[in-house]
C-alpha cells in the first residue's frame, strides 16, 4: 500500500500537480482541536516533477496525501494535508519541506472585538472560522466550509475576545473548547470536483460516532489480527492526575478571580492539587468553575493511554470504516494482559504511514486492567 501526493493551491484548493516521488519524514498525524507538523523531501534529479517550484512554494501550497483509490474511483480519499511553511534546497539533497496541518493557519490570523449573547456554541465556532479563516470575495484565506455535526449546541454568552488582546483564531477556539461541554472541532479534506480539493471544519458537541445501544463499534482492532503492536500506559504525575482542581485568571489590585476548589472526596489517594489559567482575561467565576470541573473530570483518575498499531492493509479503513472522533473496539491477547485487554476507545487522532495505521485513542471502557 502506498500514499500518493498532490500539491494544492492554499487559497483556492485547485490541484497544481502530482508529486509521485515525494516522501514524508515520518508518520502523518491528525488530532482533534490541534495542529500537527511533519517534514517531507522531494528528490530533484535529471527528471524532476513538472512545475515542482510552483508546487512547493512556502505559504502558498498544501501537500495532500491521498489513500489508494477504491475500485472504480480515479483518485483516493484525501487523508491529510500540510501547508508548506519552509522550503530548503540543498545541492544533492533535493528539496526539504516543513509542513503544518490547516489548524496551524488558524494560529496565523487574529480575532478582533467579538461579542455573542445567547448564541449556540457551534454557531459561534462556525461564525469565527468563516470570518477569520475562510477565503471570500474580499479576503484571502483557506478554501474552507464549515459543517455543524449533531446540532447547534448549548447557548453561550461570549464577549471577552478583544482585538487588543492579540489572540489568534486558534487560541480563541482552543480556549472556547476548554469550557465544560464545549464545542469540539477538527479539519478534514474533501473532493470538491475532479480538479479541486477543499477543507472542511467539522464542529459539534462531539465529533465522531458512538455505536448503537447494545452493539460494539463497527471498527475492531485485534491481536492476533491486524494489530502488530500494543501498549498501555497509566500515569498520575504532574499534569496527568489530580483530585483537587482550581482554575484562576489574571488578578488586579490584589484580587484574583478563581474558581472554588473542585474535589473528589471518595478518592483513596492523598490530595493532589492542580491550578492553572485557562484564559488570562476571564473574570466570571462561573466560567472558571466550568473550566475546573472539566479538568477535574479528565484528571481525577489519572491518565490512561493506549497505543495500537495495525497493518493498514488488514485494519479497518480510515475514512471509510472509521473517522476521527469515532469509538473503536479492541481485543488484545498477550502475556502482559493475563485476562485480555478488551473494550472500547474513542479515537481522538491518528497516525499513518504507507504500511501502518495507529489510532490515537482515549480509553473510555476497558477490561483487563488491575
Amino acid at each position: 500500500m502506498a500514499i500518493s501526493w498532490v500539491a494544492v493551491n492554499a487559497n483556492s484548493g485547485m490541484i497544481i500537480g502530482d508529486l509521485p516521488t515525494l516522501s514524508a519524514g515520518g508518520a502523518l498525524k491528525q488530532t482533534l482541536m490541534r495542529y500537527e507538523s511533519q517534514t517531507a523531501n522531494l528528490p530533484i534529479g535529471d527528471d524532476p516533477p513538472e512545475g515542482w517550484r510552483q508546487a512547493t512554494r512556502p505559504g502558498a501550497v498544501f501537500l495532500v496525501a491521498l489513500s489508494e483509490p477504491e475500485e472504480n474511483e480515479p483518485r483516493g480519499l484525501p487523508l491529510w494535508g500540510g501547508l508548506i511553511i519552509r522550503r530548503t534546497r540543498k545541492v544533492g539533497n533535493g528539496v526539504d519541506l516543513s509542513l503544518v496541518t490547516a489548524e496551524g493557519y488558524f494560529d496565523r490570523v487574529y480575532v478582533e472585538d467579538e461579542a455573542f449573547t445567547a448564541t449556540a456554541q457551534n454557531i459561534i465556532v462556525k461564525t469565527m472560522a468563516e470570518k477569520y479563516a475562510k477565503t471570500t470575495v474580499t479576503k484571502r484565506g483557506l478554501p474552507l466550509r464549515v459543517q455543524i455535526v449533531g446540532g447547534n449546541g448549548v447557548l453561550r454568552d461570549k464577549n471577552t475576545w478583544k482585538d487588543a488582546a492579540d489572540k489568534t483564531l486558534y487560541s480563541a477556539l482552543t480556549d472556547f473548547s476548554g469550557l465544560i461541554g464545549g464545542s469540539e472541532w477538527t479539519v478534514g479534506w474533501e473532493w470538491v470536483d475532479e480538479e479541486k480539493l477543499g477543507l472542511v471544519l467539522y464542529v459539534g458537541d462531539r465529533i465522531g460516532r458512538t455505536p448503537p445501544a447494545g452493539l460494539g463499534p463497527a471498527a475492531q482492532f485485534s491481536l492476533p489480527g491486524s494489530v502488530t503492536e500494543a501498549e498501555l500506559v497509566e500515569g498520575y504525575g504532574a499534569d496527568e492526575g489530580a483530585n483537587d482542581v482550581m482554575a484562576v485568571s489574571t488578578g488586579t489590585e490584589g484580587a484574583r478571580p478563581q474558581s472554588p476548589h473542585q474535589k473528589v472526596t471518595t478518592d483513596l489517594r492523598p490530595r493532589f492539587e492542580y491550578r492553572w489559567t485557562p484564559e488570562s482575561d476571564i473574570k466570571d467565576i462561573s466560567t472558571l468553575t466550568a473550566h475546573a470541573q472539566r479538568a477535574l473530570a479528565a484528571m481525577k483518575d489519572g491518565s490512561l493511554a493506549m497505543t495500537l498499531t495495525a497493518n493498514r492493509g488488514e485494519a479497518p479503513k480510515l475514512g471509510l470504516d472509521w473517522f476521527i472522533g469515532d469509538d473503536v473496539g479492541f481485543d488484545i491477547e498477550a502475556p502482559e494482559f493475563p485476562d485480555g485487554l478488551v473494550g472500547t476507545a474513542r479515537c481522538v487522532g491518528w497516525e499513518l504511514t504507507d504500511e501502518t495505521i495507529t489510532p490515537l485513542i482515549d480509553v473510555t471502557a476497558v477490561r483487563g486492567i488491575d
Side-chain angles (χ1 to χ4, degrees):
M1 302 184 75
I3 294 168
S4 60
W5 291 89
V6 293
V8 176
N9 182 289
N11 190 59
S12 69
M14 293 297 297
I15 303 294
I16 298 171
D18 294 290
L19 296 173
T21 59
L22 185 84
S23 60
L28 306 177
K29 186 175 182 180
Q30 183 76 21
T31 313
L32 287 175
M33 297 178 290
R34 60 182 290 181
Y35 61 83
E36 303 291 350
S37 302
Q38 189 47 270
T39 60
N41 177 264
L42 182 67
I44 303 296
D46 295 333
D47 187 23
E50 184 178 353
W52 66 267
R53 285 182 292 180
Q54 180 187 4
T56 59
R57 291 180 62 195
V61 175
F62 276 98
L63 300 182
V64 181
L66 306 178
S67 69
E68 300 75 12
E70 295 296 309
E71 188 175 357
N72 300 322
E73 292 290 338
R75 294 271 201 172
L77 293 171
L79 298 176
W80 187 91
L83 179 67
I84 300 172
I85 57 173
R86 181 172 289 106
R87 177 173 67 181
T88 303
R89 287 181 268 183
K90 183 177 180 181
V91 174
N93 191 54
V95 180
D96 285 327
L97 302 164
S98 297
L99 312 173
V100 65
T101 55
E103 295 88 341
Y105 177 77
F106 293 1
D107 212 24
R108 300 292 300 274
V109 291
Y110 289 83
V111 301
E112 301 167 358
D113 293 343
E114 297 290 348
F116 297 90
T117 302
T119 306
Q121 62 179 10
N122 300 328
I123 294 293
I124 293 176
V125 174
K126 181 178 188 293
T127 301
M128 296 286 285
E130 290 180 338
K131 181 174 181 178
Y132 295 105
K134 181 180 178 179
T135 293
T136 65
V137 174
T138 59
K139 175 175 58 64
R140 290 181 177 272
L142 302 181
L144 179 75
R145 73 175 181 90
V146 181
Q147 180 171 322
I148 294 177
V149 179
N152 292 335
V154 300
L155 302 182
R156 301 277 190 186
D157 294 330
K158 182 66 180 177
N159 56 8
T160 57
W161 288 318
K162 301 294 183 184
D163 188 298
D166 295 329
K167 187 175 287 290
T168 66
L169 175 62
Y170 180 77
S171 61
L173 295 185
T174 299
D175 293 342
F176 190 58
S177 296
L179 296 171
I180 190 167
S183 298
E184 293 186 349
W185 53 273
T186 192
V187 180
W189 288 84
E190 65 179 359
W191 284 105
V192 177
D193 57 42
E194 293 182 357
E195 300 298 328
K196 182 185 287 188
L197 283 163
L199 288 154
V200 185
L201 174 68
Y202 299 95
V203 58
D205 293 347
R206 169 179 165 145
I207 299 296
R209 303 167 298 181
T210 59
L215 299 178
Q220 297 286 331
F221 292 83
S222 301
L223 179 67
S226 64
V227 174
T228 57
E229 298 179 25
E231 180 182 74
L232 181 70
V233 179
E234 302 162 83
Y236 212 85
D239 297 332
E240 290 182 308
N243 48 25
D244 186 330
V245 175
M246 177 186 291
V248 303
S249 186
T250 303
T252 56
E253 298 180 357
R256 181 183 72 173
Q258 61 186 44
S259 72
H261 287 264
Q262 303 300 306
K263 302 178 182 180
V264 177
T265 58
T266 57
D267 197 351
L268 297 178
R269 298 181 178 93
R271 184 178 75 259
F272 288 91
E273 293 187 81
Y274 178 69
R275 297 186 185 185
W276 94 112
T277 302
E279 246 185 294
S280 61
D281 54 1
I282 298 176
K283 307 302 180 186
D284 183 58
I285 300 301
S286 63
T287 301
L288 289 170
T289 301
H291 279 288
Q293 289 171 343
R294 181 164 184 164
L296 180 67
M299 301 179 74
K300 61 185 179 65
D301 295 319
S303 66
L304 186 65
M306 180 184 294
T307 303
L308 302 176
T309 299
N311 183 303
R312 277 188 65 217
E314 301 175 8
K317 292 186 180 297
L318 175 65
L320 291 175
D321 301 320
W322 61 283
F323 302 82
I324 192 170
D326 284 358
D327 286 352
V328 299
F330 56 89
D331 188 346
I332 307 300
E333 296 181 15
E336 291 78 7
F337 305 104
D339 301 320
L341 189 63
V342 182
T344 299
R346 187 182 180 210
C347 171
V348 296
W350 47 260
E351 295 181 356
L352 69 83
T353 69
D354 282 342
E355 302 298 331
T356 65
I357 182 71
T358 301
L360 306 176
I361 54 183
D362 177 17
V363 179
T364 55
V366 57
R367 302 192 307 274
I369 300 176
D370 48 26

